[in-house]
Amino acid sequence: MTHTNLHSLIFFIFILCSCNNNSDANKKYDIKDKFSNIKKEIKEIDIKEKEISIFGTPYILNEYLIISDYKSPDKLIHIFNKNTFNYITSIGDRGEGPNEITNMGSIIPNEKENSFFLIDYGKQKIINYSIDSILANTSYIPNEKTAISNSEFPSHFEYINDTLSFALFIKRLEDGDYKPVVSKWNMQTGEYIFMNYTGHPDLKKKRVSFSVSFEDGIYAEAYWYNDLITICSLDGNLKYSLYGANWNNNNTNKDRYFRDIAFCNNKIIASYLGGNRIENNNKVNYPTKFIIFDLEGNHISTLETEYPIITFCYDKDNNRIIMTLDADIQFGYLDLNNII
């Protein structure tokens, strides 16, 4: 074989492999496939001790269920036993004074320290709360972990240690808009490094939720206004793009597709609406479905709950999803053991 022919063969093999890799990376799904109705499987969580609005957001921290509620009239953070759902205590006064919460953002559990972080956008700080100290001292005062900028800041993050977190940073654009981009963040120094993959190249307006699996070495972003999920390695490189049947590159917010996403054991679960997000009477439409994928982005099933799901979290010890619902049931859970 001549040198020219050998070179041509190598080039052909390279192109073939590239095409195959690209084909493997782009996956399609249809929510109508592997579809089941699991409404009867949703169990109510009856919380009587505290009045919590429909905006109560659940989080799991070791043995505790934490519900943050920025609409609460007094304390904004409520702590329950995650197994019995019995109320334990509340903390976090609303206000602009010392040790008060001005503009509450996400809560981020820190299992190793049995504590949690809270983002206060009003004070531009990350606040650290110790569960053990809260339970031991009714006058407990949390401590400031770090300050955040008002120009580029995390909307949510997953904590590994003080020098490494994976955060969804709000990146300011020159046209006045913003773009959420996953970043590696050092909380000690304040340094953050945007990932190589910053979003789908065909979309000018990016709005996403994200979740990280340190054990599996990946993170996923679920697009709010496009029928798309992307999965990346922790070094920020795209592994899979999951295109739904309603995928398009429209840059409008008329339709809502995904809301929240989480790694649940060895699965990816996302809440899905797939339709108008606001009706003519200004009623907000929330997702009623969970779409389940494996870690390589293959569609496993679609679960119809028939309940409007405002938000959810995953309890790995009990292998169940805990949800806030806009329905006659305010809080509910779904046991995944017999589902997936």
Side-chain angles (χ1 to χ4, degrees), residues 112 145 158-165 185-188:
K112 291 181 180 178
K145 184 66 176 179
E158 301 283 348
Y159 177 83
I160 297 180
N161 54 52
D162 284 355
T163 60
L164 180 59
S165 293
W185 180 35
N186 185 322
M187 294 178 68
Q188 279 191 350

Side-chain angles (χ1 to χ4, degrees), residues 20-251:
N20 287 338
N21 289 338
N22 186 61
S23 175
D24 292 340
N26 294 326
K27 304 195 176 188
K28 297 182 179 180
Y29 65 89
D30 191 328
I31 64 167
K32 297 177 183 178
D33 295 337
K34 305 171 186 176
F35 187 96
S36 60
N37 189 303
I38 49 94
K39 182 179 181 180
K40 293 182 179 179
E41 303 298 325
I42 305 294
K43 308 301 181 184
E44 182 176 8
I45 301 173
D46 189 11
I47 294 178
K48 295 179 179 179
E49 296 89 342
K50 293 298 296 183
E51 183 178 344
I52 300 175
S53 79
I54 65 169
F55 300 104
T57 302
Y59 304 89
I60 295 295
L61 171 60
N62 294 330
E63 297 303 310
Y64 304 98
L65 167 65
I66 301 172
I67 300 179
S68 69
D69 181 14
Y70 72 92
K71 289 286 188 179
S72 287
D74 44 24
K75 306 291 186 183
L76 303 183
I77 304 168
H78 312 290
I79 302 173
F80 301 81
N81 180 295
K82 77 170 185 181
N83 298 308
T84 64
F85 303 117
N86 290 333
Y87 172 71
I88 299 175
T89 190
S90 297
I91 194 171
D93 293 309
R94 180 199 306 278
E96 299 184 3
N99 308 312
E100 294 179 330
I101 300 170
T102 303
N103 185 1
M104 182 169 61
S106 296
I107 282 177
I108 297 88
N110 178 2
E111 292 184 355
K112 291 181 180 178
E113 302 294 332
N114 202 30
S115 64
F116 62 90
F117 302 108
L118 180 142
I119 305 175
D120 189 332
Y121 294 115
K123 294 185 176 180
Q124 296 173 220
K125 295 178 180 179
I126 306 290
I127 309 299
N128 185 46
Y129 292 81
S130 166
I131 287 285
D132 296 333
S133 298
I134 292 171
L135 300 182
N137 181 5
T138 56
S139 302
Y140 168 73
I141 298 175
N143 63 286
E144 178 184 338
K145 184 66 176 179
T146 188
I148 57 175
S149 169
N150 62 357
S151 57
E152 292 185 333
F153 51 85
S155 63
H156 183 74
F157 64 92
E158 301 283 348
Y159 177 83
I160 297 180
N161 54 52
D162 284 355
T163 60
L164 180 59
S165 293
F166 286 84
L168 190 65
F169 255 77
I170 301 302
K171 181 180 181 181
R172 298 296 183 183
L173 303 178
E174 293 181 356
D175 61 3
D177 196 8
Y178 73 89
K179 183 177 186 178
V181 180
V182 178
S183 310
K184 292 181 180 179
W185 180 35
N186 185 322
M187 294 178 68
Q188 279 191 350
T189 65
E191 180 185 12
Y192 53 92
I193 302 172
F194 292 128
M195 293 297 192
N196 296 328
Y197 185 78
T198 61
H200 196 285
D202 292 343
L203 300 177
K204 295 180 180 179
K205 182 179 288 292
K206 179 187 178 186
R207 298 291 186 268
V208 296
S209 301
F210 101 119
S211 185
V212 179
S213 174
F214 303 127
E215 297 82 0
D216 301 300
I218 55 177
Y219 66 86
E221 294 181 273
Y223 283 67
W224 294 1
Y225 306 131
N226 303 90
D227 203 351
L228 173 69
I229 287 178
T230 54
I231 301 173
C232 294
S233 60
L234 291 186
D235 59 5
N237 293 317
L238 179 67
K239 290 175 68 71
Y240 308 107
S241 294
L242 319 181
Y243 296 95
N246 295 315
W247 156 255
N248 59 62
N249 59 0
N250 290 342
N251 288 283

